[in-house]
Amino acid sequence: MHNTKIIRFLESLNQYEINQFKDFVNSPIFNKNKNVSKLFDELKKSYPKFKAEDLDEEIVFKKVFPKEKYNYFKLKNTASDLFALSKEFLSYTGFKNNNKVKEQFLLAELRARDLDNIFEQTLKAAVKRNEASEVRDENYFYHKLLLNEELSSFYAPKEPDEHLHLLQESLNLFIRFALVRIVKFYNVMLHEKRQHNFKYDPGLFDEIMKYINNNNFEDIPTLLVYNNIILLETKLEDKYFYELKSLAEKHRDQLSPVDRYMIFLHMSGYCAYNFNINSRTDLLAEHFKLINEKNAFWNKEFGKILYPDFINEVKISVRVNNFEWAENYIEINKHKLENEKESTLNFCYGMIQYKKGNLASALDFLTKTYFPIFILKLQVKILQLQIYFESEYFDQAISMIDSFRHYLKRETTIKEDFKVSFYEFLRITNDLIKLKTDHANVDRDFQMEKLKGEINNVKTNQFGIKIWLNKKMEIE
C-alpha cells in the first residue's frame, strides 16, 4: 500500500490532524463501515513514516480481515472508501475553520425554518464580526454583500415594500468587491506579462481605471494600493514607487498579509527593473529595505519560502555588500526551502564568495547547481563566465562563451531584447579577453574606446552584465 493515495494523504497530516481524522472515521455520522475504521487503525500504526515494509498489502489485509483469505480487490475497495472519507474530512475541516462560510449557511437555514429571532441575533453578531476586521479587502466586501442579501431575503416575504434601499446597498457592495477583485487580476497580469512575456486580454481596463480614478475610494485602502501598483507598472515612474511606499506605511494594519506581499513584489520588481534595464544603482538601498520589511511579516504569517524568492533576497543583500545579513538569512531560513534546496544554497554561497573576492570557492559552489528554470540557469552561466574572466582562465571563458551562445539559441522562453543583450555581453567579453591576451591586433586605445561605446549601447543590464562590463573597462 506504500505510495497510494490514502498513504500520501495520511502523510500530509500533523499529529493533531490525524487524531481529528481518527474521530472523523469513527463517527457514525460520517462512517458506518467498521472495516474502514479497522483499516485506518492499522495504517495509523505506521504514522508518520509509513515505511514500505510496514505496509505490505497481504499483512495489512490479514490484520483487517483476520478470518478471510487475501483478496486484493476487497482491500482496494476498503482503501478507496477510506480515501473518500479523507476528502470529506478535508472539506469538513475547511468548512469548520471558515466562520464566514458557516455564518452564511447558518443564516440561510434559520431563514428557511422561520426562526426569526435566532436569525436576527445571528445576523447582528455576523455583521459585528465583519465590521471588526480592520482589513477592507474583497473578502470583507463580499461577506458584507452576502449578509446584506440575507437580510434582504429575510424581509422580502414579510415586508416586501419597506426595504428597497437594501438593493442599492447590495449593488454598492458588489461594485466595491468587483473593483478590488478586478484590480487584483490586473495586478497579477501585469506582473506575469513582465516576468514571462505572456499576453493577456485585460478586458475593460481603460474604463475600469478611469472609473476608479474619477471616484473617491479613500475608504478602501486595498483599492488605493492596487490602483497605485497598476500606475507604477504602467507608468514606471519613481513618484508612483514612493506613493506606494507611503500608502503601505499609512495603511499597514488595514492590509492583509497577501496584499502586503504584493506591495513588496511590485516595489521590489520596480527596483529590479531599474537595475536590470536602466543600470540604476540608486534604488539598491531601497530594495534592501524592502526585503527586510517583507521578512518581518513573512516569517510571522507564512512558513515556506519559494527558492527563487530565497535567491533573490540573498542577491539583493549581496549587492549592497551586507554579507552578514545574507549569511544570517540563509542560516535562519534554509529549513523553509522545499524545492531545489541544494542548488539554491550552493548558488547563494557562490554569490557571496564571488562578491567577497573568493573566486575559486565561488566557482566550486556554482558547479554544484542544477536548476530546472532558465532564469536561474542564465544567472549561473553569467557568474561562471565572470569568474573565469576575473581568474584569467581565458580558455575556459572562451569555451563558456561558445556553449552560452548555443544555449541562448535553444532557449525559446527568453525575451528577444534580453537575448540581444546577452549576445552583446558575450561578444564584448570575448573582445576583452582578446585585449587582455594581446590578440586584438588593433590599436589598444582605439579598441578600448570602441568597446566603451558598445557597452553603453547594450540595451539591458540584466543580472548586472552592463555594470560588470563597465567595471572591467575601468580596470583595463
Side-chain angles (χ1 to χ4, degrees):
M1 294 190 70
H2 186 252
N3 205 33
T4 56
K5 288 187 287 188
I6 184 58
I7 296 301
R8 291 200 297 273
F9 162 73
L10 293 173
E11 286 175 331
S12 75
L13 302 179
N14 60 37
Q15 186 65 58
Y16 173 77
E17 290 169 335
I18 202 161
N19 289 332
Q20 288 288 298
F21 186 52
K22 178 181 179 179
D23 293 340
F24 188 88
V25 170
N26 291 324
S27 169
I29 296 175
F30 301 107
N31 172 45
K32 291 182 171 65
N33 187 334
K34 292 183 179 179
N35 291 330
V36 171
S37 298
K38 288 170 69 177
L39 176 60
F40 169 75
D41 289 339
E42 191 58 37
L43 295 178
K44 187 176 181 291
K45 293 175 183 178
S46 300
Y47 178 84
K49 294 185 178 180
F50 294 104
K51 296 178 181 178
E53 57 266 28
D54 297 331
L55 297 169
D56 181 85
E57 291 178 352
E58 293 192 30
I59 294 175
V60 172
F61 183 90
K62 190 67 176 174
K63 294 289 182 71
V64 179
F65 306 99
K67 297 180 181 181
E68 299 184 34
K69 183 180 179 181
Y70 174 67
N71 184 325
Y72 166 77
F73 293 103
K74 187 166 186 176
L75 179 62
K76 181 181 179 181
N77 289 338
T78 306
S80 294
D81 290 341
L82 181 58
F83 182 64
L85 271 179
S86 74
K87 292 189 286 186
E88 285 189 37
F89 172 74
L90 291 179
S91 298
Y92 168 76
T93 300
F95 175 82
K96 183 182 70 171
N97 294 332
N98 193 323
N99 287 327
K100 291 183 177 180
V101 171
K102 286 197 293 185
E103 286 171 349
Q104 180 187 343
F105 280 96
L106 175 58
L107 286 167
E109 286 296 321
L110 292 172
R111 178 169 50 79
R113 298 167 192 276
D114 293 325
L115 298 172
D116 294 356
N117 288 339
I118 304 175
F119 174 91
E120 289 175 325
Q121 291 170 0
T122 304
L123 180 65
K124 184 178 179 180
V127 169
K128 185 177 180 180
R129 270 192 294 273
N130 196 49
E131 292 304 313
S133 172
E134 288 189 76
V135 177
R136 295 295 194 262
D137 60 5
E138 73 274 32
N139 298 315
Y140 163 82
F141 287 108
Y142 182 63
H143 192 51
K144 190 168 183 176
L145 168 64
L146 293 178
L147 295 177
N148 193 70
E149 290 187 336
E150 276 298 327
L151 183 61
S152 182
S153 298
F154 175 76
Y155 281 128
K158 301 178 180 2
E159 303 170 2
D161 301 320
E162 294 187 26
H163 301 277
L164 302 180
H165 65 284
L166 292 176
L167 180 60
Q168 182 66 60
E169 289 181 18
S170 289
L171 176 61
N172 293 343
L173 290 168
F174 179 79
I175 289 172
R176 280 158 172 72
F177 158 75
L179 287 175
V180 175
R181 197 72 191 90
I182 288 169
V183 294
K184 286 191 175 186
F185 274 121
Y186 289 159
N187 156 75
V188 176
M189 286 177 171
L190 287 167
H191 177 70
E192 296 301 335
K193 179 183 177 182
R194 184 184 300 279
Q195 289 288 104
H196 302 292
N197 199 28
F198 190 89
K199 293 184 179 179
Y200 290 97
D201 176 8
L204 301 171
F205 181 83
D206 292 335
E207 292 83 355
I208 295 291
M209 297 308 297
K210 183 178 179 180
Y211 180 80
I212 291 172
N213 288 295
N214 286 343
N215 289 275
N216 185 356
F217 292 108
E218 291 295 325
D219 61 326
I220 315 178
T222 306
L223 188 58
L224 298 178
V225 162
Y226 278 90
N227 182 52
N228 199 273
I229 286 175
I230 292 169
L231 290 171
L232 177 65
E233 288 287 347
T234 53
K235 305 292 186 183
L236 294 173
E237 296 177 14
D238 282 6
K239 66 178 181 178
Y240 298 113
F241 175 86
Y242 290 107
E243 176 63 21
L244 186 55
K245 180 180 179 180
S246 175
L247 285 170
E249 291 172 354
K250 180 180 178 181
H251 299 292
R252 183 185 304 273
D253 296 332
Q254 297 167 296
L255 300 168
S256 72
V258 171
D259 293 335
R260 290 178 64 189
Y261 175 71
M262 294 310 296
I263 292 171
F264 159 79
L265 189 69
H266 286 276
M267 291 184 70
S268 176
Y270 182 74
C271 294
Y273 170 82
N274 277 289
F275 178 82
N276 291 326
I277 304 302
N278 301 322
S279 301
R280 286 177 60 180
T281 58
D282 58 312
L283 290 173
L284 287 180
E286 285 286 354
H287 206 170
F288 181 64
K289 286 179 187 175
L290 284 169
I291 64 171
N292 264 302
E293 291 169 5
K294 177 253 186 180
N295 276 286
F297 75 84
W298 184 270
N299 290 332
K300 180 181 177 181
E301 299 290 343
F302 304 98
K304 301 170 186 175
I305 301 177
L306 299 176
Y307 71 92
D309 290 343
F310 189 100
I311 288 171
N312 187 59
E313 300 194 2
V314 172
K315 182 166 59 179
I316 299 309
S317 60
V318 167
R319 280 181 183 163
V320 295
N321 296 319
N322 199 327
F323 306 123
E324 182 181 359
W325 190 97
E327 289 162 347
N328 286 338
Y329 175 87
I330 293 170
E331 191 60 32
I332 292 169
N333 294 296
K334 62 185 179 183
H335 71 281
K336 297 178 183 178
L337 287 167
E338 291 193 338
N339 299 317
E340 307 299 329
K341 182 174 182 178
E342 184 178 351
S343 290
T344 297
L345 294 178
N346 282 324
F347 183 75
C348 290
Y349 291 135
M351 281 193 297
I352 292 169
Q353 291 303 312
Y354 170 66
K355 199 69 187 292
K356 285 182 174 181
N358 303 324
L359 302 183
S361 177
L363 192 59
D364 184 55
F365 279 117
L366 292 171
T367 55
K368 299 173 185 175
T369 61
Y370 306 94
F371 290 110
I373 57 177
F374 81 90
I375 200 75
L376 287 169
K377 288 179 182 178
L378 278 171
Q379 293 179 67
V380 171
K381 291 178 184 295
I382 288 168
L383 274 173
Q384 286 176 323
L385 177 55
Q386 290 170 338
I387 291 170
Y388 285 142
F389 181 91
E390 293 178 26
S391 302
E392 297 191 350
Y393 297 159
F394 296 130
D395 289 341
Q396 292 92 325
I398 290 169
S399 176
M400 184 78 188
I401 288 169
D402 184 60
S403 66
F404 203 152
R405 283 180 177 139
H406 287 295
Y407 172 74
L408 290 174
K409 286 180 182 178
R410 293 194 309 270
E411 186 57 69
T412 58
T413 52
I414 304 173
K415 286 183 176 182
E416 279 305 311
D417 55 342
F418 289 170
K419 272 193 178 185
V420 170
S421 295
F422 293 138
Y423 280 127
E424 286 294 287
F425 164 69
L426 296 177
R427 184 185 61 76
I428 294 170
T429 303
N430 192 60
D431 287 345
L432 279 171
I433 292 171
K434 290 178 181 178
L435 274 178
K436 290 183 77 71
T437 54
D438 294 322
H439 293 154
N441 295 322
V442 294
D443 179 81
R444 184 178 177 83
D445 291 337
F446 171 80
Q447 184 67 6
M448 290 280 287
E449 288 304 312
K450 180 174 177 290
L451 285 178
K452 286 178 182 177
E454 290 173 352
I455 292 170
N456 287 332
N457 289 332
V458 174
K459 288 187 176 180
T460 71
N461 179 50
Q462 201 71 19
F463 312 125
I465 56 174
K466 193 170 179 178
I467 291 173
W468 182 82
L469 287 171
N470 276 316
K471 285 182 178 178
K472 297 306 111 180
M473 291 299 297
E474 290 172 8
I475 294 172
E476 289 298 313

